[in-house]
Amino acid sequence: STAADRVAGVGPVHPAHDISTMFSLMLCAATASVLGDLVAYRLAWRGGPRFDRAMARSRRLAAAQAKRLAAAQAKIGTALSRGGGPLVVLARFAPAGRSLVSIGAGVMHRDVAEFLPWSALAGVVWAAYSVSLGYFGGQWLGATWLGTAVSVFALFAAGAGAGFLMRRPRGPRENPAP
């Protein structure tokens, strides 16, 4: 087996190489994820007309109704003020959840010391999940269309599950006294 074969994924690869490659991928993905969270957090913290214009130009946010977005940001702010660190981790897997939580934390002026550790944990969990899914999916299913379909399904299932858990009411609702 030549070096070119190993780079192309043909021929034997030493298990230690797999572990170091997976660790490197996880580290890069987690770092990029946390840095992205901090950029969104800081931009939202600063706010201002330029941020508002950028938000208005966003296709995803422009498609959302302003009232719904405001309600989502209020819920996120409330959850974060109640020690909602697990929300930061769970939101990483929900469609657009990561962006909403990072922006919500910035808009609500949450202390970076409250947000950053949870963002780092979320980045590591997400990176480990994603890289492991790719690695083990490739090992079990090979580089086939079936393997690709199963991986895409697993990603969508994780996002749908996280979205469900984020929207599900927590515990019994209290009725206000008359």
Side-chain angles (χ1 to χ4, degrees), residues 74-85:
K75 282 183 181 179
I76 290 167
T78 301
L80 288 172
S81 68
R82 293 182 182 162

Side-chain angles (χ1 to χ4, degrees), residues 37-96:
D37 284 353
L38 289 176
V39 167
Y41 169 85
R42 187 65 182 144
L43 287 172
W45 177 280
R46 291 181 57 138
R50 188 173 181 176
F51 177 74
D52 293 340
R53 284 192 305 273
M55 294 292 283
R57 281 195 308 265
S58 170
R59 284 182 272 146
R60 185 175 274 177
L61 292 176
Q65 300 162 346
K67 183 177 178 182
R68 190 169 163 201
L69 180 60
Q73 285 182 337
K75 282 183 181 179
I76 290 167
T78 301
L80 288 172
S81 68
R82 293 182 182 162
L87 173 70
V88 176
V89 177
L90 185 59
R92 181 62 48 119
F93 294 90

Side-chain angles (χ1 to χ4, degrees), residues 15 24 27 36 38 48 50 54 58 62 67 70 85-86 98 101 105 113-114 120 130 133 139 177:
S24 297
L27 182 63
L38 289 176
R50 188 173 181 176
S58 170
K67 183 177 178 182
R98 169 187 174 206
V101 168
E114 294 173 3
S130 299
L133 179 66
Q139 293 294 314

